[in-house]
Structures are given as C-alpha cells and as structure tokens.
Amino acid sequence: MALDRLFRRRRTRGQAREVPELWVRCAACEAQVYRKDLEQALWVCPECGYHHRISAERWVALLADEGSFEPTTGRVRPADPLGFVDTEPYPERLRRYQEKTGRPDAIHGGRATVGGVPTVLLVMDYAFAGGSMGSVVGEEITRGAELAAEENRALVIVAASGGARMQEGALSLMQMAKTTMALDRLFAKRLPYVSILTDPTTGGVTASFATLADVIFAEPGALVGFAGPRVIKQTIRQDLPEGFQRAEFLQKHGLIDAVVDRRQLKEQLVQTLSLLYPGEGHGA
Amino acid sequence: MALDRLFRRRRTRGQAREVPELWVRCAACEAQVYRKDLEQALWVCPECGYHHRISAERWVALLADEGSFEPTTGRVRPADPLGFVDTEPYPERLRRYQEKTGRPDAIHGGRATVGGVPTVLLVMDYAFAGGSMGSVVGEEITRGAELAAEENRALVIVAASGGARMQEGALSLMQMAKTTMALDRLFAKRLPYVSILTDPTTGGVTASFATLADVIFAEPGALVGFAGPRVIKQTIRQDLPEGFQRAEFLQKHGLIDAVVDRRQLKEQLVQTLSLLYPGEGHGA
Amino acid sequence: MALEFERPILELEARIQELERTASEQGLDFSEEIELLKAKLDRLQREIFGNLTAWQRVQLARAPGRPTTLDVIEALFEEFAELRGDRAFADDAAIVGGVARFHGEEVVVVGHQKGRNTRENIARNFGMPHPEGYRKAMRLMDLADKTGRPFIAFVDTPGAYPGVSAEERGQAWVIARSIQRMSRLKVPAVVVILGEGGSGGALAIGVGNRVLIMENAWYSVISPESCAAILWRDAKEAERAAEALKLTARDLLRLGVVDRVVPGPKGGAHRNPEAACRELDRALVETLEDLKGLSPEAIWEDRYRRFRRLGVFEEV
Amino acid sequence: MALEFERPILELEARIQELERTASEQGLDFSEEIELLKAKLDRLQREIFGNLTAWQRVQLARAPGRPTTLDVIEALFEEFAELRGDRAFADDAAIVGGVARFHGEEVVVVGHQKGRNTRENIARNFGMPHPEGYRKAMRLMDLADKTGRPFIAFVDTPGAYPGVSAEERGQAWVIARSIQRMSRLKVPAVVVILGEGGSGGALAIGVGNRVLIMENAWYSVISPESCAAILWRDAKEAERAAEALKLTARDLLRLGVVDRVVPGPKGGAHRNPEAACRELDRALVETLEDLKGLSPEAIWEDRYRRFRRLGVFEEV
Ligand SMILES: [Zn+2]
Ligand SMILES: [Zn+2]
C-alpha cells in the first residue's frame, strides 16, 4: 500500500510543518499543500492521504454538532504526588505543557450532541506530555463516563497517548482500572461508547478504556498497540513486519471495527451512535 | 514421542484383539500381553502405554465408587423419525447394535458417587453406532444434566463419538443445542461438570456438551476434533501434521486441562470434583 | 450458470423473448403464439417447481444469485453499520454482522456470508467460518444483550471450515460456546435459514426463539455429499442422501426443527431475489412482533422449551 | 547468585560456619568469637536490610529463590488442581491457575509464573504472559463467579510480553478485558504482589478488593530500566528511576495503591521462603476473613470504591 511507504518517511511529530502563511508542507509526502485545502480536508493530505495530528479543539469542532459543545474538563489539575524529578522537576514539566496547550492536563472534552445524540465527548491531547495518562486524565475519563451515565449520554473518546504517565508512578497505573470500571456505570444503562484511536495510541490507554468500546474506529495509518515498536524491536531483536501495529493491521487481526478516513468519520460516527443510542425512554 | 508412532500403526477398531484365553495382543504395539496384567492396568498396554477402548460398563466400574452405581439410562429407546434407509433400514441397524451391546442406544449411565461426591455419571458407548448422537443420546444427556441439577449432583461425562447420528437428520443436530442448554440448569446451581474425552470424540458431540465442561480431561492419544481427519485431508489436500487432533496437541493449543493416564484418572477426577463440588448447603 | 432441471424453463423463456422481439421488430402479430407459449411456460414451471426433489432444492439453495446475508440486509434494513473482528485474532469475512434498523427498530444482526462470485468466495472462504467468525458472532450476541436489541441471524453455510487452522484454534470448542452463548440471550432471537444450513457450523448461530426457513433452503446434520460418502461410500449418491436426510423446508417444519417456511417466488429466489426478500420481510416483521413484550426471563425460557422438546424416541 | 549488597552478610555467615565447623572438628571452644561474630552479623543485617534502597529492593524482588506463585500455592494450600489453557488458542505457561483448598475453604487461584532456573524460565517466558495467559486468567475468573469461590491472584511479572506475536493477538485488548472481567467479580478477590508487579501486565490480574504486597516486592507503571531509558536515555540510571517511581511496598501503601505489606524474613524472602510464606499465610487468612459475609453486590461495590478513589490531583 502507498500509505505504508509514506508512514516510514513521516516525521516523528506528525504535525504538518507550518510554512508561514499560505502553504503547508505535508509531514508524510512533503508536498506543499495550500493551507486552506488542507484545512478543508480536515488536515488529511490531499496528495497522499496522510492524517495529520490535529488539536483537541479541532477534534471537538469536527465531531460535535455546531454550537453544542459545553466543556466539562479543566477543573481538575495535576499534582506531584511522588515529588518526581528527572531531568527537571515534574511540576516544571507540567507548567511548560500547560503553557503550550492552555489546559491543565492532556484531556479536553465535555457535553455535546453528535448528529443529535446527547454525548460526552472526550479528546486526549498528544501535545500535552504525549497524551500520557496520569491522575487527571484518569479522573476526567472516569467523570466523563459517570456524567454520561447520569445524563443518559453516549460516550465518545478520541484517544492519543504514549501510555501511562511515569511521573505519577503506580497512581498512573491505577487509572487503567479506574477508567475501566467507570465504563460499567455507562454500560449498566445500556448507553453506547465509541472509541476513536488516533496516531499513536499505546500502553496503558490502549490496555484499558480505549479498547473496551462497543465500537472501535481507527484513523488510517494510526499506530496502536500495547508495547511501543522500539521496545518490541529490542525484545525480538529483529525488524518489525511492514505495517505492524498500524490501523490496517489491527483490522486484519480483528481488533477494530473499521479504519475510517477522517473525512468520513463524523458521518460514520453519527450512524453508529444513532443505531446504538437507546433513545427516549430506553436509557433510564 | 513414542506414542505418536504407535497410533499410526494402531488398528481402526481400537479394541485389543482377544487371543483366546490368557493372552491379548496390544492393538498398538502388537505385543502379547498377559490378559490379567492388561486388565489390572485398566487396559492400558504395559508395553507401549496405548489406551485400549473399554466398554461403558468398565468405565462405570473404573470411576464410580464401588457399589454406588444406580443406572438411570435405558428406558429411552430410539425411533425412526425419518424412515431412513441406506444400505439397510435404520431400525435394522439399531437392532443389530442393540443386540451387540445389550442397550437401546449409545449411552449408559446413572447415579453414582465418585470419591464420595454425589454424581451423575454418563458414558457414551462407541460400540453402538460409533457413539453417534441421535435423539436418545441427546435426551439422556439432557436428563442426566437435569437429574444432577435436581439432586445436587456433579456431572461427569465420558465422551466417545463419531459425531451426530445421520439417520435422524436435523433432529440429531438439534441435540447439540438441547444438551448445551441443559447444562445451564446444572451451572445455575453451581454444580460442577467434568468431561473426559476418549478416542475418538468428533463432530457434534465435541461441538456441544463435551467441550463445555468446567474441567476437561482427555486420555493420552485420544483423537478429538470437530471435523474428522479424513475430511480435513480432503479439504486441504495435504498430509496432516504429526499428532494433529491428539490429546497432547489439544493441550498445547489450550483446549483441554490435562492429558490424564487412565491409571491416574479416578484419583484426579476425585480431587477435581472434591474441589469443585459445592458440598452441603452450597448447592441449593 | 443454469441448473440442469431449470434448463427447459429458461429455453422456453428465451423462445418467448425472441418471438416478442421479432414481433416488435417486424411489426408482426404473434400474440396468440406468445400466449400459448406463456401458458406452456406456466405449466412447465408449476410442473418442475411443484415437484422439486430434495436434491434439486439443495442445488437451488446453492444457486448463484440467491440472496446472501448482505443482500438481505441491504434489501430489508433501513440502515446497517457493519462491525468487524473478534477483538482477539482476526476478522473472519465468512461471518458478517453489525447493528441495523429494521422497520424503525434497532436490531443486532449476524450471518454467514458467501461470495457472489469466485473472487468474493475465496475472500469469504465460501461462507465457511473459522473460530474467529464465531467469536465475532458471540461478540454481537453480547452487544444484543447489552443494548437489549432483538438478535437476527441469517444462516447460509456449507458448514464450519474443516481445516487444520480451524481445528488448531478450537473449532469444536467455539461452536459449542456460540451455541451456549446464543441460548443464553435475554433478547428475542430470530434465525432465518437463507440457503444452506450445514451442520454445527450453521447451528452455532441457529439457536433462535423462532427459526424460519426460506423455501428451497436446506438444513441438515450433514451435507448430502458427505452423508453419501459415508453411508454409500460414494459422494455421487448425494441425491439419495438428500432425500433420506429430510432436509427440505417442509420436512423440517414437520419435524419441528423450523417454525415457519417463508414462501419463495416462482422459479426460485435466485431468479427473483427481490420477491424472496419481500416475503422474508413480512415473515420477519410478524415473527418479531410475536416475541415482543416478553420479559428477558420469558424469552430465555421460551428458547429453552423450544429446543428441549426436539427429538423423537420411545419411552419404555 | 548473591546480590552485590548482600555479599558482606554472606561472607560473614560463611566465616561463622567455618569457625563452627573448625570448633566441632577440632574440639576447640570458639563460642566467644562466634557470639561476637553473630552479634556483628545481626548488626550488619539490620544495617543493610534496614536501609535498603528502592533499587536493592527491586533486585530482591527478582532474586532467584524468592517464592514463585507455584511455590506459594504449594506452601499455603492443602490441595491444588491446576487447570490449563484458554480454550481457544494455547496454554500459556507464564500464567498458572486452578482450584485449590486454603484452610479448608475452596478458592480459585491464578498467578504469573516465573521459572526457577533458566530452562524453566524459557518455558515460562520469564513470567511474561501472552494474550492466551490472560484469557486463561479470565476463564478462572468465570469459574470463581460460577462457583462462588474467593479469587486469589499472585502477581509476579516483569510485564506482559512485548513481542510481535502478542501484539498480533491483541495484547492491549486482552489486558483491558482482563481488568474489566476481574473488576466485575462477584466474589472476594485478593491480590498479592509477590515479586515484580510490572505495569499493565501485572494489573490485568491485580484488580482486587484488597491488594497485599510482600516486603521488597515492587509494583510500578513501568520498570526502572525502561523508565530510565526514556527519561534519562540510559538504562543504567535504573537506580535513580527506581527511587523516583516510588515503587516499594511502603511507598505504595502510603499512596493507597496497596492495602497491606506482608513483612518478610530477615535477609529477604529468597533466603527464607518458608518464613515468607508463613507471613503471607497469616495475612491471606485475615484478609479473606475481612471480606467474608459481604453480598455479591457489596463485594463489587467495595472494589469499585477502592479503585475509584485512587489518583492525586487538585480541584479548582
Ligand atoms: Zn502528503
Ligand atoms: Zn502396546
């Protein structure tokens, strides 16, 4: 597949390099693309189909019905329970990410309707510490599921994560159990949960709430797995197979329901939610 | 493994050829074995370990505590719902098998205690139409499960079957659903069910009650599968892998709990039942 | 692609068409001749399709053009979102399923899927599932229970795949578990035998509160060919085996194995899939209506009783 | 096989033994010297084991001779019937389990299993499970619920296997499902971190109503080596990472991640596994006693609440 060749050449960051003003260079094929065209194509390269990473706000704009979004995240802020210091103290790191992204931690979301279906929409922000899950992300996912259960809403989570947040140690690990258990509050009310896996989603997020959805979509080419490719390469001491852990590979291995082009994603999400959402009277 | 080489040479019938009087020839290694030794070894060849097929009565004697067995099967007799005729009419076939085995159909069993645990013990009889499951076998298995549920007994089934009984058409197929569903009456009362797979167990029996037990044992070398080896060979048009569908293969593939030598079987069954049986007060 | 026994009909149809074309091209009046031929066609059709042998029906059940699960889903359901994969090993294209809307009501649907041509058939393994296909089906049963939606299963398989890979991954085990899982559904389950109902691989998704069968579909403990190979040691005796196995819709209705036969169009569903689908639509609506309002426990008990009574024997 | 930091102790022990042997062989009286040395040994032990660094504890957790799951089962349980296989794909030797009797009461037990030597370790993949191992664990959880027996899990893994085969078969998916399945248990679940508690591969069987940890065991979101490789770009900084991660028993108790530390014998469990098992036995009995009499719903709710409150953050 052409896409596969491109992924190899892709720059690590995954975000299109923004050449001043009108033109943008595709992070995969390096084509110069007219900025407005790229935006219109939802940051999918019109030349090669590469799905550029987009901000959490853009995800909300893409999926929520216009004017329906009402944020609920942002009040929970990270602490430093371990007094963690590596090359810099954890609170310093946090401050930098907070300044860069304008939010307290790696998650953004709230109430919305999606194709008219009442939803709690949560988006992980890879720009914040690689979308890593610590106490705040865990708590927000948990509250999101609880809110959905309480208000009879569907749950939609856009995942992007390098895994658990090391700087909060075992507390980060515990978020895997906490978020998983919170989903049962939702399921007990027969409310649907759709997960959208974007590039990359690995580690503790993949091994908890992100893969427990009723329906799992993944973006084309998204890398999704438990262990990261580097760790695996170290373990098996040989090159990884072509396309390994990519969305298309996942589908072949029965792990996701569909690889969905971002330009068709809203439509497909709306159809799925409308078929799964219990509607009036059922949810209670 | 030495056993594997032997199975290939094994005669189809699987029963030791009885040389008049004192000596018996092993069906696998063809060694002349002193009859009493073979009997003492529960018809496991002392030379090569081959497990000879034994009669349903011998199975009962082997597993039930002495004097505890009280038969419940035998009152249900086969009919000919399809008016089936192949090279001979189905009722003729039945009559021959009934004369040969002294029972109405391919199953024998009843109440027993096994290591003191109240049990319903059912044994399929391969000598009766290849242990095929028609309406009678299905009904007896179903009643056995129901009886166990009613009287708070464990269920133990010794399986041996070429599959469903063709001569009763789709009614035979339906026994797979019927027997499967009957197990839930047992499970609802937390009563344990142990399945013992003997050579051969294939087709509809394997694809229903025989593999739905809490614990599955298989005899060494027993061939167990869905499709028979001949059918598979025809499909894939190549030779089957060494040891394919044998008990040891099944264990490697996670399909059974243990390959158990017949000489240790009662002991292991008793331990398993005693650990799983709810005992007084729990079962109700 | 015509079946042997439908050749006379197709030839007569061709002759009528030719005559009509000639008439219209040359401005001649062949109406009398055409009427006569049409009457003859009607007689011929009734004669052939009124006296189909079991073996002919088996051939009709396998005929290309007969509606497959996806054809039926497309024809009957307003919406369908396909869900894929067993979440463990692979996506088996021999079984399809998902959530759908049927006459305004959401349902969960699953079915064996054959290809409509050779290329598709290879991709779909001729509708013969591996264990992962049944795990996909079980996942959909879980979803039906979770969402409280009726479960509809379309059966159309020569049988579960009898291969090394399937045996290695526990084909018998997974069929048993699928039967068990389906029998435990707390929502109404309706099964439709669309074409071929081959043995355990069919029954794995066949444990319905009601089991419908399309005209000329078959459902059996073993395929006629395999049965013949075993009993007569000759697969060519399949015709005899088909007769003996009592695998036709009417036979199965009499035996209580199915609850309703969905009538098919004149000439077979493969010649007029639309008409076949219309009849199925009606039957499905009525069957689901029948099961409405039953409590989860009543649904479960109903299914248990349906299968509990199957079997014919004498009691001493 | 001695660990670096326990060398001085072992040397001193050897000297005492030698002296005792000489005394007995030659009929001399060294009792005074021996007493002195023993006092010194005691001081040394207290000094070293009273001030273990996190990294030293990690080494102790991995030390050969430390009781594995099967060692513990053998030591603590009157009977044990091992059950094998995931009923779908393989039997994973990196996870063992079955039904057992503990102080007269039947329980279901599962645990990661490391080898006790290189050959065993290869067979058991160094205690790093594949998806089939977690499916085996889930099967045992089903059995615990079905039989109403308490569920006991022993955690001792560097982590789930990070290999191509495991990823292909959905390692992340199965860990998520195992966490979910365990969280849904309607019977008391007690977890014991025996040695290494490596990340999601540990947590997959770690969702207990109560989580105990053996002295000098560790439990962390990532191994010190991997953490060091990422944060300091040098696996040799593992010592610093071990400190920073707060992965020791006392740290975890303070964070609420574990509920009880099972004290270990002087010199570490690998030097005296019997003593370690005795302490564990007592702790397990008390913990199970604690959970007795709770209804299935209360058990479930108790576990939910235990995990719901984990996490440290500020609220604006
Ligand atoms: Zn591009
Ligand atoms: Zn022999």
Side-chain angles (χ1 to χ4, degrees), chain A residues 187 190-193 211 213-216 251-258 271-272 274-278, chain C residues 79-91 99-101 106 139 143 145-149 187:
Chain A
F187 295 151
R190 300 191 157 172
L191 294 160
Y193 162 33
T211 52
D214 297 310
V215 177
I216 305 177
Q251 173 155 354
K252 179 168 158 271
H253 285 281
L255 301 171
I256 61 171
D257 290 288
Q271 191 202 25
T272 304
S274 86
L275 282 168
L276 283 172
Y277 187 69
Chain C
E79 273 192 277
F80 173 57
E82 184 173 354
L83 302 181
R84 292 187 195 82
D86 66 347
R87 296 276 203 267
F89 190 81
D91 181 51
V99 282
R101 188 166 284 123
E106 291 86 6
R139 184 196 143 199
L143 187 64
D145 261 339
K146 189 210 145 186
T147 58
R149 307 272 162 83
V187 296

